[in-house]
Amino acid sequence: MSVSYRVPGKGRLTQAKTARFTFDDQSYSGVAGDTLASALLANGVHLVGRSFKYHRPRGILSAGAEEPNALVGIHRDAARKTPNVRATVQELYDGLAAVSQNRWPSLSFDVGAVNDLASPFFSAGFYYKTFMWPKAAWKSLYEPKIREAAGLGVSPELPDPDHYAARFAHCEVLVLGGGAAGIAAALAAAETGVRVILADEQADFGGALRFESGSVIDGQNGWDWAQASVAKLAAMENVRVLSRTTAFGYYAQNFVGLVERVSDHMQAPHPDLPRERLWQVRAKRVVIATGAIERHMVFADNDRPGVMLASAARAYLNHYGVAVGRNVGVYTANDSAYAAAIDLKKAGVNIAAIVDLRDNPAGSIIDEARAMGIEIHGGRAVVRVGGKLRVTSMTVQPKNGGGERTIPVDAVLMSAGWTPSVHLFSQSRGKVAFNDEVKRFLPGTYAQDCVSAGACNGTDGLSACLDEAYAAGVKAAKDAGGKAAKSTKPKVEASESWSRGMLGAAPGAGPGTTVKAFVDFQNDVTAKDIRQAVHEGMRSIEHVKRFTTNGMATDQGKTSNMHGLAIAADELGKQIPEVGLTTFRAPYTPVTFGSIVGHARGKLFDPTRRTATHGWAERNGAVFEDVGQWKRAWYFPKSGEDIHASVNRECVTVRKTAGLFDASTLGKIEVVGPDAAKFMELLYTNPWEKLEVGRCRYGVMLREDGFIYDDGVVGRLAADRFHVTTTTGGAARVMNHMEDYLQTEFPHLNVWLTSISEQWAVIAVQGPKSRDIIAPLLEGIDISDAAMPHMSVREGKICGVPTRLFRMSFSGERGFEVNVPADYGEAVWEALWAEGQKHGACAYGTETMHVLRAEKGYIIVGQDTDGTVTPDDAALGWAVGKKKTDFVGIRGLKRPDLVAKGRKQLVGLKTKDPNVVLEEGAQIVADPKQPIPMKMLGHVTSSYWSENCGRSIALALVAGGQDRMGETLYVPMPDSTIEVEVTGLVFFDEKGEHLNG
């Protein structure tokens, strides 16, 4: 039967509402507002898990996100099983079911604990040494066992039934951290009228005020001030307050990723609620107010359940009303542990002793503790603790050696000082600097528009933190365009303050000792392991980290990094800055796959895109193919036709009369602005300044290295407006490519880019009768050859709706591309189809489109190019402006290897047997009798049967191809070798007469 450790009259939770929960199938009771950790401690449960490597008993170390030990599985049902949840963060709800991890058959009796006895075989870097021999045993023996032992929790086996949401947000000031400093900064910024977002990972705002008992701000208890201030902020229209929201990643241009836990704290969430919400926030200014994290003391067996951070014990008492023990010992090198001891003593908990590593600790808080009758041992160290599944005693010794004294305890609180949380600052690419006076890494050189304030900036004392944060909020808002506002900064009337502390191993765990003094609890890294890494040649802290795995657990070294660094520096005989600091990477705390994936799962993993005419095509028997995310009509078979018969008929019909083709999937971008032509000159190989309004030009876009990136027809609608088309597959990347250069290389140009791919439905009407089909439906556009020659664009109306009409062709026939607003796409298609039927036109699909363009030698980027093709290679040298002095890729084109002879060039191929259709991708050789491996000259890029030519045709990339015209080459296949003749690219209408009907 469990015993309650609730302290009457303590904490901020109401006892009226209880919540039943289970831990390893044992039933317990907590209260509303508890975390799983506080509820377990209230029931006297300290043992919550087993360590990764040695399977040592582990208890609750902290009260927040830095927790390395208390990782549990949360099981809502068979499908909702979440491993590695920090019990210190998981809020309690009625019916919560939690299980311990990394143990068998039970938590109290774990067979895996034999690893602790075999620990000499599992020292630092053992996996680099142990599993190297014999080599043959890796796959059969080592790898399966290592994979079986890897990880802590068990991954769920069923699909996740929950759903996740995502939001994009913009603000002038983003405040990360909802402690006193963050609240002060948000208040200051909000008063100026700018948009402010305040985010904190806890359920309630207040930060350290949650456990502090002596703070008074503006005449209120610190916690009450925090709640009142946040309520004021939440009521302001320009402020968004996000609790249970962790800033996990700080990226370029003040882009910050946040994860909001929406329903994990609810017993029965509404089915419409997401489990988590991903916030992607772009801010003009960021105020980082993430506080500081208390460090543990490094001494023998410091991992026993019941040994925890002093601030955590204080939080459990002052916020949750839970005492972590009845006879508590304290081990510290910092004043803050005294505050915990005093609060516990006032709550009726016996403080067995305070062991202070400092020789002569002095100050008002020490005097207060002494006046309360608490025994203080200065200049002494805890050299080990007793107990196995729960601490039972601590053994004390003068730090320079001497007689030992064992003191019975049921909990040990420890504090080695506080480490500023510079994780997000470091993620922003800011450079930290070591302050030798206080022995802390602090924000140094900033890389983005952000500022650190409060404890994360190394500022000690509540009053100083609030002053600094308030000033930071005012400046951030002003820099972001906020108006001057009259507001009063919070006044601190009483506060707590502490600093200093120690880094590294405490006496009794120093060089030469073999005790297990843990630095990283989750990965079982000891002080001895760090020293061994140095002895084995690791000089960089990054190498030490990887050799020992220190700081590589789910807590990312929040409590262990500085200790590991200090031990390595001491062993190397160097100062801490000389050894360096490991890189802080996103995420700050673990992020679920669900929150990152959001809606992109199942049918939405790769969303299916359909054009405006999809329904018509479906009703008219189209067979579809997937092109990227698009469903495109592949061909339109009539009764009894297979794909070949259908495509042959469609190809002939287009060339003899006309065909309608849905080209809506083409990428479309508007380039607008006074410098639009200059921008086009720089992005494309072609000249654009002198292109007349109303005319079009085929454009080629290169990468910086000179290779073809994309192509498409560009129409000039006005002096300052271009309608750019791209390949279907290139729509997004071309837009990104343009935007990238506009923002980074050509920011001086006054240009706006807008993706209009989905705004316009595009209907290509191709063939000798194309003009007759569209003419009756047009208003305000003269489409005669004189008024609208090939490669022209006009604006007017068709069927009464606006249109951008291009006269252009991807078939080699007279052709028009009708652009209309997508909402009218199907209606205009049906009108054009009705007119087309009068002339015997057909609907055709992508396969026919490919054949028609291959007959004319028109390339498809990505099919006839492979990322190493230049304009000259593709016979597009004519599209490179000879007088142009600059464009993206111009220097790449001048590289010697890109102008050397023998490069692969695009050519046509005709098989000696006209009925043989080559396979796309087939290799080409000069001599089929040469020994294997043969020297390949190139490969087939496009290959079709052409009903219009009465034979097979193909395009290919062939080494020195343009100099091989008329030469016979060979295509070796498994059952035969095919002879081919190298030809020009154009197989049909070489003179181009069909473009004019």
Side-chain angles (χ1 to χ4, degrees), residues 911-912 916-919 969-973 976-980:
T911 56
K912 291 297 176 72
V916 174
V917 179
L918 297 172
E919 289 188 16
L969 299 176
Y970 302 88
V971 179
M973 299 302 291
S976 64
T977 297
I978 304 168
E979 290 186 46
V980 295

Side-chain angles (χ1 to χ4, degrees), residues 389-406:
L389 301 182
R390 169 86 181 265
V391 65
T392 57
S393 65
M394 62 181 186
T395 299
V396 181
Q397 181 183 60
K399 66 180 183 181
N400 295 321
E404 294 182 351
R405 176 188 172 189
T406 299

